């Protein structure tokens, strides 16, 4: 699988009050990760490890805003040099899941991931 | 003549290797008497730990099953597998060091829960089993309390998180600055057009289709973003300050190398299993072969000293230690063991030692007296694959140091190949 560490995409939302949620799953087993999550120019929030399903706001509130995520995964696993980031978005027009991954060449290296997702109101 | 010599040399090497391997195996069974088995069902059916498959994902499980069952054409004849559902099928809760250091009971339970399955069709050389029967075992293991990472490991993790956050902040700044990049804006506008078109025509599924134009533009935008982010990092690499991305990345690698994953504190494990014998390999003619339940409670200190206590109930144990240490030929019998063990195994050290005591009472027989075992073990790693071991104590059968003197209790275990 080719390395993919950046994502630049859209997530379709509508004029409803239904919540949109974000979930981030970090792999492989035993890796160490931190993420910084921001919507537009709002104060970014730090998170350590995987992020369980978290509401970001309603479809209407997120309309045409941009979600920025920067994550660093450090290889602390004794079993594998594989790093993986799965992003799941729910609550908009359709469920979307994005897979990003990279295998580090040397033990204990870190991989920076960067994602930009625009909530497009159609 | 040359062939004969070569054959003799090969035989000698194989005999020595077999001797070392056997010695190692014996050491494993005697030194770890006071420990819940990592794979209960396999343990009940006499599988060596190295023969137990431990698939970490569904693909590996299917490969393992395919190999054991002759491409799914027959039931496996001799097969043992440990399944950890949390790691095998979980794609929800994450498996980073943050989650693996959780002390919540629900997290500890589901992360340590292991199902152990084994099936065995013994041949005529297996002394403890009937060759005309099929044996199947099912077991489980989980922790009620799991020690957290040691102080040193925890400090390393904290430093890693601090450095990661610093790097994330710098990358966030770059990512947000790229909002005005003209090349990226062109690709993003194109994506928006294609998405609106998909909504207008009612073909939202096209957005997930890897052959669709939207997907191609999305991929191009991702690659362009990577290129722009890398260009920013490259320009930053020229600045030799502590705050530069390069310095952070280097320190991250050094700190990650110092993280050894050791844990210290209280631990409490429970394991159990049951195995059945299917007479004449018929599934409608079966009986319980053996069963057991173990619980181990312990405390591990920062410097590698562990104190463990164990209670174990076994139905039809392989050996009734209290009766002259002999194999169980009596059939239905139950034993209860209680014991304690102290292990000193300093992190990264060459010297390890342990002392353990076990008291075995035979519950379902008045003819066998209870007995006890007290043994001291020590080993010193000369190299990573060469160990000098020493073992001394009283076994269940009352014999102190089986070979009669201390010198005979010294054993050298050497792996073949280069010294490592």
């Amino acid at each position: 699988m080719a390395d993919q560490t950046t994502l630049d995409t859209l997530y379709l939302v509508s004029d409803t009050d239904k919540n949109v949620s974000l979930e981030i799953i970090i792999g492989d087993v035993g890796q160490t990760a931190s993420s910084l999550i921001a919507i537009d120019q709002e104060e970014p929030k730090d998170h350590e490890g995987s992020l369980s399903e978290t509401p970001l706001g309603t479809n209407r509130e997120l309309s045409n805003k941009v979600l920025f995520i920067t994550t660093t995964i450090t290889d602390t696993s004794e079993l594998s040099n594989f790093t993986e980031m799965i992003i799941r978005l729910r609550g908009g027009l359709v469920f979307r899941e994005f897979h990003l991954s990279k295998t580090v060449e040397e033990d204990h290296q870190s991989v920076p991931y960067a994602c930009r997702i625009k909530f497009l109101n159609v | 003549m040359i062939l004969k010599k070569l054959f003799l040399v090969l035989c000698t090497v194989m005999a020595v290797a077999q001797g070392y391997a056997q010695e190692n195996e014996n050491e494993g069974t005697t030194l770890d008497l006071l420990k819940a088995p990592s794979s209960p069902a396999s343990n009940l059916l006499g599988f060596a730990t190295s023969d137990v498959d431990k698939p970490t994902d569904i693909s590996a499980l299917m490969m393992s099953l395919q190999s054991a069952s002759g491409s799914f054409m027959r039931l496996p004849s001799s097969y043992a597998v440990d399944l950890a559902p949390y790691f095998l099928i979980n794609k929800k809760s994450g498996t980073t060091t943050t989650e693996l250091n959780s002390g919540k009971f629900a997290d500890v339970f589901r992360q340590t829960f292991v199902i152990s399955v084994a099936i065995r069709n013994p041949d005529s050389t297996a002394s403890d089993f009937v060759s005309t029967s099929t044996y199947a075992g099912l077991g489980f293991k989980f922790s009620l309390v799991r020690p957290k990472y040691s102080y040193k490991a925890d400090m390393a993790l904290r430093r890693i998180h601090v450095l990661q956050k610093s790097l994330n902040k710098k990358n966030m700044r770059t990512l947000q600055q790229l909002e005005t990049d003209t090349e990226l804006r062109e690709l993003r506008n194109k994506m928006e057009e294609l998405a609106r078109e998909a909504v207008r025509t009612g073909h939202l599924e096209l957005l997930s289709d890897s052959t669709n134009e939207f997907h191609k533009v999305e991929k191009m935008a991702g690659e362009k973003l990577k290129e722009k982010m890398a260009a920013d990092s490259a320009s930053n690499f020229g600045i030799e300050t502590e705050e530069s991305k390069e310095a952070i990345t280097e320190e991250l690698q050094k700190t990650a190398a110092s993280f050894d994953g050791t844990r210290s504190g209280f631990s409490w494990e429970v394991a159990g299993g049951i195995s059945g014998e299917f007479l004449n390999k018929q599934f409608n003619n079966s009986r319980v072969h053996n069963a057991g339940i173990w619980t181990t409670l312990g405390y591990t200190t920062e410097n590698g000293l562990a104190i463990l206590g164990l209670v174990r109930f076994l139905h039809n144990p392989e050996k009734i230690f209290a009766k002259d240490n002999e194999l169980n030929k009596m059939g239905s019998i139950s034993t209860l063991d209680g014991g304690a063990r102290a292990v000193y195994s300093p992190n990264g050290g060459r010297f390890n030692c342990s002392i353990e005591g076990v008291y075995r009472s035979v519950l379902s027989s008045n003819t066998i007296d209870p007995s006890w075992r007290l043994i001291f073990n020590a080993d010193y790693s000369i190299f990573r694959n060469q160990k000098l071991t020493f073992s001394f104590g009283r076994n269940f059968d009352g014999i102190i140091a089986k070979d009669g003197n201390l010198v005979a209790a010294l054993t050298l275990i050497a792996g073949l190949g280069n010294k490592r």
Side-chain angles (χ1 to χ4, degrees), chain B residues 176-363:
Chain B
Q176 290 183 331
Q177 278 168 359
L178 288 172
E179 281 299 281
T180 53
D181 184 88
T182 47
E183 285 181 282
L184 282 168
R185 281 178 82 167
E186 267 179 41
L187 290 166
R188 287 166 183 166
N189 289 340
K190 178 76 178 164
M191 254 193 294
E192 288 189 22
E193 269 175 43
L194 291 166
R196 288 183 201 281
E197 183 62 24
V199 173
R200 215 171 12 247
T201 55
H203 291 293
L204 283 174
E205 75 281 359
L206 290 177
L207 301 180
S208 307
D209 181 357
S210 60
T211 58
N212 187 263
E213 181 68 12
F214 176 85
H215 186 78
K216 287 175 189 164
V217 180
E218 185 185 52
K219 202 175 170 189
M220 281 166 67
E223 280 166 9
K224 184 60 75 181
L225 181 64
K226 187 178 181 177
E227 191 185 300
K228 300 273 177 185
M229 297 282 295
D232 176 78
S233 296
S235 64
N236 208 335
F237 278 178
I239 309 163
E240 287 301 327
T241 64
E242 200 178 283
E243 286 299 297
S244 74
K245 286 185 185 180
E246 187 182 28
I248 295 172
T249 309
E250 276 178 15
E251 196 187 337
L252 261 176
Q253 192 167 1
K254 278 183 197 162
T255 315
S258 71
F259 172 75
D260 56 8
T262 53
R263 293 175 181 268
S264 66
F266 280 106
S267 62
W268 187 5
E269 284 180 358
V270 177
I274 186 166
S275 75
E277 178 183 359
F278 297 92
L279 304 170
N280 299 318
K281 302 186 189 292
Q282 289 183 347
F283 286 96
N284 56 358
N285 189 5
S286 62
R287 65 182 178 203
V288 172
H289 174 61
N290 56 11
I293 187 158
W294 301 255
T295 183
T296 315
L297 201 69
Y299 185 84
T300 307
T301 64
E302 291 282 339
N303 60 7
L305 175 68
I307 309 287
L308 302 166
L310 177 135
V311 178
R312 172 174 53 195
F313 172 81
L314 291 173
H315 176 63
N316 287 353
E318 190 186 347
K319 280 185 175 183
I320 310 169
F321 293 115
K323 187 172 165 50
D324 300 332
N325 212 19
E326 69 178 24
L327 285 171
N328 178 12
K329 302 282 185 195
M330 299 176 67
S332 187
I333 197 163
S334 298
T335 59
L336 183 70
D337 300 341
R341 184 181 191 203
V343 186
Y344 180 60
S345 178
N347 299 329
R350 287 167 177 261
F351 177 73
N352 301 296
C353 65
S354 71
I355 184 163
E356 67 179 44
V358 190
Y359 182 84
R360 168 160 287 190
S361 50
V362 182
L363 300 179

Side-chain angles (χ1 to χ4, degrees), chain A residues 88-115:
Chain A
R88 288 176 181 161
L89 285 162
R90 295 180 177 87
L93 286 194
V94 285
F95 165 79
R96 288 204 78 186
E97 180 174 288
F98 307 97
H99 284 253
L100 308 179
S101 66
K102 183 177 176 176
T103 302
V104 295
E105 288 168 8
E106 286 175 33
D107 284 347
H108 316 304
Q109 281 183 329
S110 295
V111 182
Y113 288 86
C115 308

Side-chain angles (χ1 to χ4, degrees), chain B residues 340-403:
Chain B
R341 184 181 191 203
V343 186
Y344 180 60
S345 178
N347 299 329
R350 287 167 177 261
F351 177 73
N352 301 296
C353 65
S354 71
I355 184 163
E356 67 179 44
V358 190
Y359 182 84
R360 168 160 287 190
S361 50
V362 182
L363 300 179
S364 53
S365 170
N366 295 325
T367 59
I368 306 169
D369 291 330
S371 187
W372 56 276
R373 162 193 159 111
L374 183 69
I375 197 151
F376 171 77
N377 297 301
D379 66 71
Y380 183 80
S381 296
I382 305 165
F383 298 102
R384 280 186 70 181
N385 62 347
Q386 291 194 359
K387 259 185 183 181
L388 189 65
T389 72
F390 168 73
S391 185
F392 185 74
R394 179 200 187 274
N395 212 337
F396 289 104
D397 50 13
I399 296 173
I400 295 174
K402 281 179 189 171
D403 295 309

Side-chain angles (χ1 to χ4, degrees), chain B residues 45-202:
Chain B
L45 290 184
F47 280 89
T49 313
S50 54
D51 291 339
V52 180
D53 276 356
K54 292 179 180 178
T56 51
D57 56 49
I58 295 291
S59 309
L61 173 63
M62 295 312 287
M63 286 278 285
S64 163
L65 280 173
Q66 190 180 14
S67 159
S69 62
S71 299
F72 306 110
M73 296 296 282
R74 56 180 164 76
L75 275 174
S77 64
S78 188
Y79 180 61
V81 65
D82 277 4
L83 304 170
Y86 184 83
F87 298 101
L88 198 63
I89 54 176
N90 173 61
K91 281 287 174 191
K92 279 197 165 184
S93 309
T95 51
T96 67
T97 47
T98 307
E99 289 87 32
L100 296 178
N101 202 26
S102 169
K104 288 181 195 164
F105 171 72
D107 289 338
V108 171
F109 177 79
R110 58 190 178 166
Q111 286 170 10
T112 57
F113 184 67
V114 174
I115 298 167
S116 159
V117 182
I119 186 162
R120 184 166 184 171
N121 282 290
D123 55 27
S124 54
T125 59
S127 57
D128 308 339
F129 297 89
V130 179
S131 61
T132 53
S133 296
T134 293
Y135 296 83
L138 181 67
F140 65 89
K141 185 181 181 181
F142 60 86
S143 291
L144 292 169
V145 181
R146 175 179 61 186
K148 288 203 162 196
Y149 288 127
S150 66
Y151 177 77
K152 187 186 159 219
D154 193 46
M155 282 296 113
L157 279 185
R158 285 183 194 206
R159 184 65 190 150
I160 289 171
H161 284 302
V162 167
L163 293 166
Q164 286 179 334
K165 284 170 189 175
S166 172
L167 202 57
N168 287 341
K169 210 170 167 182
K170 287 174 187 294
N171 287 334
M172 178 64 78
R173 207 175 299 136
T174 310
L175 186 63
Q176 290 183 331
Q177 278 168 359
L178 288 172
E179 281 299 281
T180 53
D181 184 88
T182 47
E183 285 181 282
L184 282 168
R185 281 178 82 167
E186 267 179 41
L187 290 166
R188 287 166 183 166
N189 289 340
K190 178 76 178 164
M191 254 193 294
E192 288 189 22
E193 269 175 43
L194 291 166
R196 288 183 201 281
E197 183 62 24
V199 173
R200 215 171 12 247
T201 55

Side-chain angles (χ1 to χ4, degrees), chain A residues 4-5 8 16 19 26 33 58 61 71 93 107 113 115 117 120:
Chain A
Q4 190 187 345
T5 57
D8 195 330
T16 65
N19 264 323
I26 305 290
T58 63
E61 284 166 351
T71 297
L93 286 194
D107 284 347
Y113 288 86
C115 308
I117 303 166
L120 183 69

